[in-house]
Amino acid sequence: MNRSILTNPHVLIAPAFLLAAFIILWPLFQIGEISLNSVNRFGQLKGFSGLENFAAVLSDPQFLNASWRTVVWTVGIVLGTILVSIPVAMILNEDFHGRGLARIVIMLPWAVSLTMTAIVWRWALSGESGMLNSALRGLGLIDENIQWLAQAGTAFPVQIAIGILVSIPFTTTIFLGGLSSIPDDLYEAARLEGASDWQIFVSITLPLLRPFINIAVVMNTINVFNSFPIIWATTQGGPANSTDILVTYLYKLGFSFGKLGEASALSLMMFALLLVFTILYVRLAMRGER
Amino acid sequence: MSLHWLKVAAVGSVAAIALASAAYAQTVRVTVAEYSSKTGPYFEKAATAFEAANPGTDIQIEVVPWDVLQQKLTTDISGGANADLAIIGTRWLIDYVSQGVAAPLDGYITDEFKGRFIDTFLSPSVMDGKTYGLPIAASARAMYYNKSLFEQAGVAEPPATWEDLKGAAAKIKAIGGDVYAYGMQGKEIETDVYFYYAFWSYGGNLIDADGTSGLDTDAAYQAAELYKSLIDEGLTEPGVTSLNREDVQNLFKQGRVGMMITAPFLSSQIKDEAPDLQYGVTAIPAGPDGARGTYGVTDSIIMFENSQNKDTAWKFLDYIFTTPLRAEFTGGEGFLPVNKEVAASPAFADNADLKAFAALLPDARFAPVIPGWEEIAAVTSNALQKIYLGEGEIKATLDAAAAEIDGIIAANK
């Protein structure tokens, strides 16, 4: 069979591939080049240095601390977001008076830029004039102001909570879509058989929602792993690097200390880590679905 | 194949841009740091006036927030898209000089031009006998104190030594209420500097004569003990590590802090935002042997080595360093005069606050001119935060920081 070259699949995807290559692969190639060279703070290459930059990053104790914290940060936010978003989505899926308004209220934080949200929280968490402290005092829960951002013990959990809060709108949207795809007759049949609400949730809602939960996990992980504004605007990774995650550490390496070689090496490692995680997760989670 | 094609396309577009800019001969791009909302309009006005006086020139001002200035310049330089002139922190200059990015200005500087400057401020921009930058902004630090709080506490004079300061602080604390005696910065930029004030008073040096860090000396231990005792005895605000310089300044403006050390611009902010605040400016307290040190900072405007219009760029520099323009800029931003004539003019010479700052200049110390200084400052700040939080023993923490700094110094040699 003779097909025109214009219908060859490779030709057809070529424009899209070239565009993607221009946006993704080219910078990746350049970062790879920088990471293998010794480089000055202005990004000018000063000769091939092998894996020296990678070794320098790996031997920095800050790197290990930040990696561990990134795991806590990512798992905490992704898990927390999903645990909160499922009930929120189920409530918003019910038919009640004012549902439209409730949906808008839940979605609103999405409309505000992440940096803005983070800065507002920085003010709200201030130990002197913060809203959170005045609210807690007003409720009689505390007598003394808490200095939320002064030490990692309080700062990091609060940052994770902010992360959860800003991830809820997107995740809820995914779950709302998922819930509306579950046919109502399944619920009717289950009720006729006398299933309890919990049984319905465990045997119908949760299994049918699973593909959507998988999507939410992958998308949120990619988002949260590289999320910079919340931590930077509230503590800049401090005090004493105790709230640094890999992205904030990367920013300091690259732009505060001018170590562009090490920063490139680190960002390549982060890219690889995220890629491997995503592929693994997608394989594991979606295995049973074919 | 596709990569090669892309490279050709990229080179072609760069060439097109280069040709296009060549058509506008005598274009000078200037990257300026945004010190306040007045910075942009000031430079725009200067550019317009310069263009009117020099037909055929085009001055393009790019205003960049100070926080991202270093990042923007680095990106521009690595992409070959940097401006002709740029404001930089003078402590970054050594990188620009050692990598051949900044052009020496000696060929342009005449004796008359040099004579306009106060030497203290010009000298940090001189490296290996060549002048690479001109001080566009200068600042030093002095102690602000709240006169009403001093009166309420029964403290007659601002403290002359750190010992006096501790005594005064205890009396201010006794007033009670939401008032803090000594405002202490413990977060973000210049957290290390806030410690150096005490460190220098105890006779410390950031870099000792043998080229290693001075943080593992008695001066550093004593200064850290002093600060830690202020925190532990409740003589500072609570949660020191959650307040940056602006946060402490805001508390001072609200009249809730007895003393704090900061730059001249606080007095122009007080004039606008808290005109009723009764405050004074005095010297930084001295140590047991009478030593004291203030932190001097200059920002420099540099010319890039790859500038295509150096002569026009220089003419513009010459213009903005004339007395009337300097007076307008320095007064508007609340900096110290770098220009002798400006310093002598009544607006500055009769300003009591600025006089207090100017009196400290003989004790001014600048950030050491060594590569990797930003990283060293970060290591120092981290060590201090650990001490302030009580997470590290003073001597051990400072010794570890000193060892890390020595490693950075050695790696950059």
Side-chain angles (χ1 to χ4, degrees):
Chain A
M1 199 163 88
N2 261 338
R3 276 209 307 199
S4 152
I5 186 151
L6 285 177
T7 59
N8 180 313
H10 294 107
V11 174
L12 285 174
I13 64 164
F17 174 77
L18 281 178
L19 192 66
F22 187 73
I23 294 169
I24 299 167
L25 294 180
W26 196 28
L28 201 63
F29 168 77
Q30 291 221 312
I31 288 175
E33 192 183 10
I34 295 174
S35 72
L36 293 175
N37 278 277
S38 97
V39 55
N40 69 11
R41 78 167 305 141
F42 306 112
Q44 292 152 342
L45 304 184
K46 297 288 172 187
F48 184 75
S49 67
L51 294 176
E52 244 171 56
N53 287 322
F54 290 88
V57 173
L58 289 173
S59 64
D60 186 347
Q62 267 314 308
F63 168 73
L64 277 182
N65 292 338
S67 304
W68 171 238
R69 224 170 281 119
T70 310
V71 173
V72 176
W73 164 258
T74 312
V75 172
I77 294 183
V78 172
L79 211 66
T81 306
I82 286 173
L83 287 181
V84 177
S85 297
I86 291 179
V88 168
M90 286 172 65
I91 293 168
L92 289 181
N93 199 40
E94 299 292 317
D95 204 5
F96 60 90
H97 197 65
R99 182 175 75 165
L101 193 69
R103 282 190 175 183
I104 292 175
V105 170
I106 290 284
M107 297 302 149
L108 267 185
W110 207 356
V112 183
S113 104
L114 191 49
T115 315
M116 282 300 167
T117 314
I119 290 173
V120 169
W121 272 104
R122 178 190 176 132
W123 292 335
L125 292 168
S126 153
E128 290 307 323
S129 47
M131 261 171 30
L132 189 60
N133 276 329
S134 4
L136 290 176
R137 283 176 94 141
L139 291 171
L141 292 175
I142 53 169
D143 298 326
E144 290 255 306
N145 279 344
I146 298 177
Q147 309 291 330
W148 295 99
L149 299 177
Q151 58 280 315
T154 47
F156 201 53
V158 166
Q159 288 166 333
I160 290 182
I162 301 171
I164 293 175
L165 209 66
V166 298
S167 310
I168 288 176
F170 169 71
T171 317
T172 304
T173 312
I174 296 182
F175 291 162
L176 273 176
L179 288 172
S180 63
S181 75
I182 303 177
D184 281 342
D185 28 342
L186 283 179
Y187 290 116
E188 277 168 33
R191 285 224 172 76
L192 279 178
E193 303 288 339
S196 70
D197 283 349
W198 177 249
Q199 281 173 322
I200 291 178
F201 173 72
V202 174
S203 327
I204 301 178
T205 312
L206 216 49
L208 289 174
L209 212 51
R210 243 192 70 184
F212 297 91
I213 295 179
N214 286 337
I215 293 175
V217 167
V218 172
M219 304 275 268
N220 275 321
T221 302
I222 294 174
N223 246 335
V224 169
F225 184 85
N226 280 328
S227 181
F228 178 76
I230 297 174
I231 289 186
W232 196 256
T234 48
T235 61
Q236 294 197 352
N241 293 336
S242 56
T243 57
D244 255 334
I245 61 169
L246 283 174
V247 218
T248 53
Y249 171 62
L250 169 70
Y251 184 88
K252 287 180 189 171
L253 265 188
F255 292 115
S256 305
F257 305 156
K259 296 177 167 178
L260 294 183
E262 288 177 33
S264 302
L266 175 60
S267 60
L268 274 187
M269 289 192 268
M270 289 169 65
F271 176 73
L273 211 65
L274 206 50
L275 197 69
V276 168
F277 165 81
T278 312
I279 292 173
L280 274 183
Y281 186 86
V282 168
R283 288 223 147 176
L284 283 178
M286 305 193 175
R287 200 167 38 184
E289 284 175 21
R290 298 255 155 81
Chain B
M1 234 347 240
S2 65
L3 195 68
H4 176 73
W5 179 84
L6 279 173
K7 274 188 177 162
V8 172
V11 168
S13 52
V14 170
I17 292 166
L19 279 176
S21 55
Y24 294 101
Q26 307 308 317
T27 297
V28 173
R29 286 168 53 217
V30 191
T31 304
V32 302
E34 186 170 34
Y35 297 107
S36 72
S37 52
K38 294 172 185 166
T39 317
Y42 164 83
F43 277 101
E44 289 296 348
K45 206 177 109 191
T48 315
F50 180 80
E51 284 162 3
N54 297 275
T57 59
D58 179 18
I59 307 288
Q60 295 174 358
I61 306 288
E62 298 163 0
V63 185
V64 182
W66 176 256
D67 287 344
V68 294
L69 178 64
Q70 173 80 315
Q71 184 195 339
K72 146 115 180 139
L73 289 170
T74 310
T75 319
D76 283 357
I77 293 165
S78 63
N82 55 282
D84 300 279
L85 300 170
I87 292 179
I88 68 167
T90 308
R91 60 187 180 282
W92 309 337
L93 185 62
I94 185 162
D95 286 329
Y96 287 70
V97 172
S98 65
Q99 301 300 332
V101 174
L105 302 172
D106 302 87
Y108 297 102
I109 295 178
T110 60
D111 284 347
E112 179 273 323
F113 186 83
K114 206 170 186 173
R116 295 181 202 170
F117 292 94
I118 297 170
D119 281 340
T120 319
F121 291 129
L122 192 57
S123 54
S125 317
V126 179
M127 272 166 213
D128 299 331
K130 289 183 189 155
T131 308
Y132 286 95
L134 302 171
I136 189 97
S139 182
R141 308 286 183 258
M143 191 162 82
Y144 287 72
Y145 63 100
N146 184 317
K147 285 184 176 164
S148 340
L149 287 180
F150 269 55
E151 207 168 293
Q152 278 180 55
V155 184
E157 291 285 313
T161 65
W162 286 100
E163 210 165 303
D164 293 352
L165 181 137
K166 223 173 154 180
K171 287 184 187 159
I172 294 172
K173 190 197 171 190
I175 302 174
D178 268 353
V179 167
Y180 309 121
Y182 182 63
M184 179 107 95
Q185 176 194 343
K187 185 181 180 184
E188 294 172 13
I189 189 170
E190 285 198 11
T191 298
D192 56 326
V193 175
Y194 218 83
F195 167 76
Y196 300 154
Y197 304 132
F199 175 56
W200 285 324
S201 304
Y202 281 96
N205 284 307
L206 294 176
I207 304 294
D208 276 331
D210 60 356
T212 61
S213 167
L215 285 186
D216 51 0
T217 57
D218 280 340
Y221 306 148
Q222 284 165 349
E225 265 158 30
L226 169 77
Y227 268 24
K228 181 69 176 140
S229 73
L230 290 176
I231 295 174
D232 290 345
E233 290 165 30
L235 302 177
T236 66
E237 78 281 1
V240 164
T241 46
S242 64
L243 282 91
N244 66 11
R245 183 173 67 192
E246 277 63 39
D247 295 330
V248 183
Q249 285 179 178
N250 286 338
L251 286 177
F252 188 86
K253 283 183 249 179
Q254 294 164 15
R256 294 177 55 195
V257 159
M259 301 164 264
M260 83 167 292
I261 300 173
T262 188
F265 49 67
L266 178 61
S267 52
S268 32
Q269 289 178 17
I270 291 173
K271 212 189 291 167
D272 291 341
E273 298 165 30
D276 297 332
L277 189 73
Q278 295 296 312
Y279 74 98
V281 181
T282 185
I284 288 171
D289 302 330
R292 72 170 104 227
T294 183
Y295 184 55
V297 195
T298 64
D299 289 343
S300 297
I301 188 160
I302 61 161
M303 190 190 288
F304 284 97
E305 192 57 80
N306 63 358
S307 165
Q308 298 298 312
N309 288 312
K310 284 190 180 149
D311 290 341
T312 314
W314 174 258
K315 260 173 119 176
F316 183 64
L317 282 184
D318 191 34
Y319 173 67
I320 60 173
F321 278 99
T322 53
T323 304
L325 272 97
R326 284 275 75 202
E328 189 189 340
F329 180 78
T330 312
E333 304 285 2
F335 287 126
L336 294 182
V338 296
N339 179 306
K340 285 177 190 159
E341 277 180 38
V342 174
S345 69
F348 293 93
D350 298 345
N351 182 325
D353 291 355
L354 285 181
K355 249 191 212 161
F357 282 99
L360 280 172
L361 284 181
D363 293 321
R365 312 197 192 194
F366 295 84
V369 186
I370 50 175
W373 176 248
E374 301 282 319
E375 199 180 350
I376 293 171
V379 169
T380 312
S381 296
N382 287 342
L384 292 169
Q385 289 178 328
K386 275 189 201 144
I387 291 171
Y388 297 166
L389 285 169
E391 286 173 0
E393 203 246 321
I394 289 177
K395 185 172 183 308
T397 311
L398 287 175
D399 285 351
E404 201 179 337
I405 291 170
D406 291 344
I408 297 170
I409 295 173
N412 281 318
K413 266 206 174 121

